[in-house]
Amino acid sequence: MKKLWTLVTVIGLSFILAAQPAVAAGFPDVPKTNRFHDEINFLVGKNIISGYTTGKFQPKKDVTRGEAAIMVGRMLDLNGTKRATKFKDVGKNYGASGYIASAADRKIINGYPDGTFRPNEKISRGDMAMILERSFGIMAGSYGRFSDVGHHMNASTAIFEMAGAHIVTGYPDGTFRPTANVTREQFSAFLARGLSTEFKQRTLNKDGYAYDLTKTYTYAQPKGELQVAYKKVTIKPAEVTFHGYLWEFKDTGDGSVYHLDQRETKDGLYMVHPLSEAEKELIYPVKLNTKWQPGMDFHERVTITGINKTVKTPYKTFTKAVEATNTNGNKSYFVKGIGRVKTVDKSGKMISELKSIQ
């Protein structure tokens, strides 16, 4: 029975390795109504994932550790030639042996203390987050939080980092469910988000006030312009070098360049300084006269002083802007789906205003 099960598994893996992508026709079990339809076809077009010889994709099927090695290996263009591995349960004739060996050499995947890899075992969401962290090498950016992920968990750092990088998401109840299995469609979404900012953007609140990750913003200032874009960068704010995606702010007036991350939660919109504190730009829910402390300064307060305000900028005139006024009298205006569009001082003099979005 054990030999029969192994044979069935190898045949299943061979379907994944051999099936030809069907970009034009698509998969009959992945209609356009599937929330991950675009992500799946994006990866098919890159030959990272494929369907089965039946022509189906089986989006709800759980992913095994061997299948995960194949998909990650294809994404990273690792050597997939079948060969001997260091794991006693992955022989050289096993369908995924080449990708498992390559991923293990790159320390992307690990085995178990007993010397096995257990390729047929289903992979959990927590383990998947660790594999993604090692694959994408993301260290910069803000962090996500989930009610069922404590800091003592092995996968906690990876889960927090991947959530902050807009690669993994949780559930509406605030959980991540790290021990739950990962389906093929979920796995596809995670990989696609790691490769494309467009798919990262889809994880953001469509009714929020955060920047659009796919856009470049240009702000007019009294001296020069401020260009804001979401980029993959390498920074060294202290003794540690960080790699990852951050918002890059480039001031053409004084030549300065700095990097921040933006995080939007149910409590508000934050700008996050690497290795430092986060500043709350806007509080949620948005209600007139609501006050909050934006940062570490206990004397500073911001108040929502207007809703559905009309604001003129060189880019366009907005009619549904939220006005937030700080202790110094400076007013900032935020628009859904765009973010901050204008800031003026207490006399009404322009500090910055949106000039273009590309």
Side-chain angles (χ1 to χ4, degrees), residues 272-294:
V272 184
H273 300 259
L275 291 182
S276 186
E277 75 279 359
E279 294 184 7
K280 183 181 284 189
E281 291 196 298
L282 198 58
I283 194 169
Y284 296 162
V286 172
K287 292 183 179 180
L288 195 64
N289 298 322
T290 302
K291 300 178 185 292
W292 72 96
Q293 179 184 320

Side-chain angles (χ1 to χ4, degrees), residues 22-30 37 41 55-56:
V23 181
F27 300 106
D29 56 346
V30 185
H37 171 273
N41 283 307
K56 294 184 178 181

Side-chain angles (χ1 to χ4, degrees), residues 271-326:
M271 292 307 296
V272 184
H273 300 259
L275 291 182
S276 186
E277 75 279 359
E279 294 184 7
K280 183 181 284 189
E281 291 196 298
L282 198 58
I283 194 169
Y284 296 162
V286 172
K287 292 183 179 180
L288 195 64
N289 298 322
T290 302
K291 300 178 185 292
W292 72 96
Q293 179 184 320
M296 299 297 291
D297 188 343
F298 295 102
H299 301 289
E300 186 177 4
R301 290 290 185 274
V302 181
T303 306
I304 294 179
T305 50
I307 297 175
N308 294 328
K309 301 283 290 186
T310 297
V311 181
K312 291 183 178 181
T313 72
Y315 177 63
K316 65 180 294 186
T317 297
F318 299 95
T319 57
K320 294 183 178 181
V322 174
E323 180 185 80
T325 305
N326 69 11

